[in-house]
Amino acid sequence: ARKALEANPNEIEYGYRAGLMLFQLGRADEALPYFNTVVQFRPAHEGAVFNLGRTLQILCRVEEGQRYIDSIPQIRDLHQKAMLAEQQVQTYPENPDYWIELAGYMIQMGFSDRAESALNAAIALKPDELSLLSDLANLAFSRGDTTMAIARYN
């Protein structure tokens, strides 16, 4: 199931639900890889981060688990900033700076597809801004799409 999630990160919520069910059944050792995978692909998935922390604590990795739990306020703050950025692009869609800001939050949250859309919107508004093309290439590279990354760099 973990390999299927790695091949299909868009289905990450299924991994979270599987981990949660295993956790609720008292099978923390089996839930751990699911929560780890979800957090790897969606570092701002509040439920997965929290339950990863709880799982680690149950597995006697108390300090490590507490670090995840302690990161929840920062994740909530990130979600709030992302919502604000989404409102700004809806209100001022002609402002490329708002699209760039939204792309940054989407990258931090693990939504590379939404980050790519926001960067493309910014590029459409500022086609001569080379740093945006570089950001798009870096995003493609981080997703493992070296062909697209090279095409963007050229």
Side-chain angles (χ1 to χ4, degrees), residues 8-69:
N8 255 328
N10 293 334
E11 303 298 332
I12 206 70
E13 197 62 29
Y14 294 140
Y16 172 66
R17 300 248 181 248
L20 191 58
M21 289 187 337
L22 288 165
F23 180 83
Q24 291 170 341
L25 291 171
R27 295 162 56 185
D29 56 328
E30 293 176 59
L32 182 63
Y34 287 97
F35 292 139
N36 270 328
T37 300
V38 174
V39 171
Q40 176 187 354
F41 286 106
R42 299 282 189 265
H45 190 298
E46 185 177 339
V49 170
F50 178 75
N51 285 301
L52 176 58
R54 290 176 47 200
T55 300
L56 289 166
Q57 288 180 328
I58 286 172
L59 296 173
C60 299
R61 294 163 59 181
V62 177
E63 289 179 21
E64 184 182 1
Q66 191 61 48
R67 282 194 298 275
Y68 281 100
I69 292 169

Side-chain angles (χ1 to χ4, degrees), residues 133-145:
L133 294 172
S134 177
D135 290 344
L136 202 52
N138 288 334
L139 182 61
F141 188 72
S142 72
R143 293 194 310 207
D145 190 350

